[in-house]
Amino acid sequence: MNLKAEHPMNSQITPAQRRALWALSLAYFVQATGALSVAGSLAAISTQWGLSDSESARLLAIFGVTFALGAPLGQVFLGHMMRRNQVLTGMAVFGAGALLFALAPDYRTLALSRVVMGLGAALIGPVLVALGSELVKQEDRGSAIATVLLGVSLASMAGIPLAAWVANLWGARVLFIAVAIASLAAATAIWLVVPNQAAGVPVRFRQVGQVLADGKSLTAFLVVFFITAGVYGMYAFISPIIRDSWHGDANHVSLALTIIGVAGCVGNLFVGRAARYFRAEALLMFGLAVLVADMLIIMTLPGKLALLYLALVFWAFATDILWPTQQRRIVEISNASLRGISLALTSAFMFCGIGFGSAVAAWIYPVAGFYGVMISAIGFLLLALASLKASEYLRRREAAHPDANVCPAR
């Protein structure tokens, strides 16, 4: 297998393209922070509206389900629009949902606001990646995608902790007003510096079924499903794991999350450069191998928090290699007419994986504790590796026999 990417030295991203990619990264930062800030602001939300923590946490699930359904459906109904216009529409809807959250008089309106935010986000995340990849030459797509997805890593490192601080200091309403303002600012930046040159592709329901029926694509979607199930199975329980197995407190948890965010950013920057020299499959296998090995090491660590922090550096580094590389691989194996729906389905599988992995961990932790959660997470990552092997086998077989995979035009 050729692990090296072709012609890495010919790649060059112009300053104008880089400004456009950073504007798209800002939009991803706002979306990720607004989407996940509920997790760090549960207490403030519960206090503001007189809710239980379970009711507040349910707002996360509402967003996730809406996003998972809205990502492919958004491409069916709005995929014909220019990609920049899709993103701007998504930012407007997302910002309106955040403003509705801030002004909500009751829980029903809060739930509706999360549906609105989920619908907006469904037009942002998948389209940002497609738009960013189409702004540059083919050999620069890996670096471009990593730059766009750096916004997610920065949200984890700074956005979500900052959101929790704002909510706890000034209240959840102020936080979501800030999210609405940030959405407007990101949309303005995109309108100013991102060229409106990437055309959308009309998508039909039949094409959604066509993508899901394609073996190499379906197994590629399963890669991201099992990766997120394994990663978020552990991440969702990082707080009780530190509390129960390492006897830490809230400050230790905050430090762990900060370390994860910083190391994740380093991993994202690394993959942006490595994408010029290595194939997506090689980077995915490397990241999965590091992640599984690191989690096995974590299971054997003594109860010293310093050692756990060190292991989390490698855990976050490997995790942030996987996500942009998986997106890059979807771009590479999908044809241009189905790229938008393929990326939308990737995001849908991602959120399904987050929900499934977290639910499995929630069921296992009370029964089998730390070791049960870690074993299940590692099992999911091994299934991701198996899915990657299957997808790559099917891709190579299709390349060797292209005539056998040509579908008649309809």
Side-chain angles (χ1 to χ4, degrees), residues 10-12 17 133-142:
N10 295 331
S11 57
Q12 183 176 3
Q17 290 171 335
S133 69
E134 292 172 8
L135 291 176
V136 300
K137 295 183 292 186
Q138 182 173 353
E139 59 266 27
D140 289 318
R141 283 179 175 172

Side-chain angles (χ1 to χ4, degrees), residues 114-204:
R114 293 299 283 177
V115 170
V116 175
M117 292 182 74
L119 291 174
L123 274 178
I124 300 172
V127 184
L128 284 174
V129 174
L131 177 55
S133 69
E134 292 172 8
L135 291 176
V136 300
K137 295 183 292 186
Q138 182 173 353
E139 59 266 27
D140 289 318
R141 283 179 175 172
S143 297
I145 291 171
T147 299
V148 173
L149 290 175
L150 182 61
V152 180
S153 299
L154 291 173
S156 175
M157 179 180 71
I160 296 171
L162 178 62
W165 178 75
V166 170
N168 290 325
L169 187 62
W170 290 305
R173 293 187 189 275
V174 173
L175 166 62
F176 281 88
I177 289 174
V179 171
I181 294 172
S183 299
L184 176 61
T188 302
I190 290 172
W191 182 73
L192 289 174
V193 303
V194 177
N196 196 25
Q197 65 186 34
V201 179
V203 176
R204 298 173 180 170

Side-chain angles (χ1 to χ4, degrees), residues 12-103:
Q12 183 176 3
I13 298 177
T14 67
Q17 290 171 335
R18 198 167 297 281
R19 285 193 296 271
L21 292 173
W22 279 113
L24 299 179
S25 183
L26 173 62
Y28 228 145
F29 171 84
V30 173
Q31 184 220 293
T33 300
L36 300 176
S37 59
V38 170
S41 310
L42 283 181
I45 292 171
S46 298
T47 300
Q48 188 90 63
W49 281 275
L51 307 175
S52 67
D53 286 341
S54 297
E55 288 175 317
S56 297
R58 205 169 295 135
L59 297 171
L60 273 175
I62 291 171
F63 178 93
V65 171
T66 304
F67 187 103
L69 295 175
L73 291 177
Q75 289 304 297
V76 170
F77 294 111
L78 299 175
H80 63 279
M81 296 170 58
M82 297 292 287
R83 295 209 191 276
R84 191 187 74 163
N85 293 342
Q86 291 182 52
V87 173
L88 292 175
T89 300
M91 294 303 299
V93 174
F94 187 80
L99 185 60
L100 180 61
F101 192 107
L103 302 176

Side-chain angles (χ1 to χ4, degrees), residues 253-299:
V253 173
S254 297
L255 179 57
L257 293 175
T258 301
I259 289 171
I260 289 172
V262 173
C265 285
V266 175
N268 188 287
L269 294 171
F270 166 80
V271 78
R273 294 182 177 274
R276 299 177 182 272
Y277 301 96
F278 296 98
R279 291 180 42 147
E281 294 79 18
L283 288 172
L284 283 171
M285 286 189 287
F286 170 75
L288 284 166
V290 171
L291 199 55
V292 169
D294 188 66
M295 293 174 76
L296 288 171
I297 291 172
I298 289 175
M299 292 176 64

Side-chain angles (χ1 to χ4, degrees), residues 333-350:
I333 69 174
S334 60
N335 61 56
S337 63
L338 297 175
R339 187 168 295 147
I341 191 63
S342 295
L343 288 168
L345 286 169
T346 301
S347 295
F349 272 78
M350 178 191 73

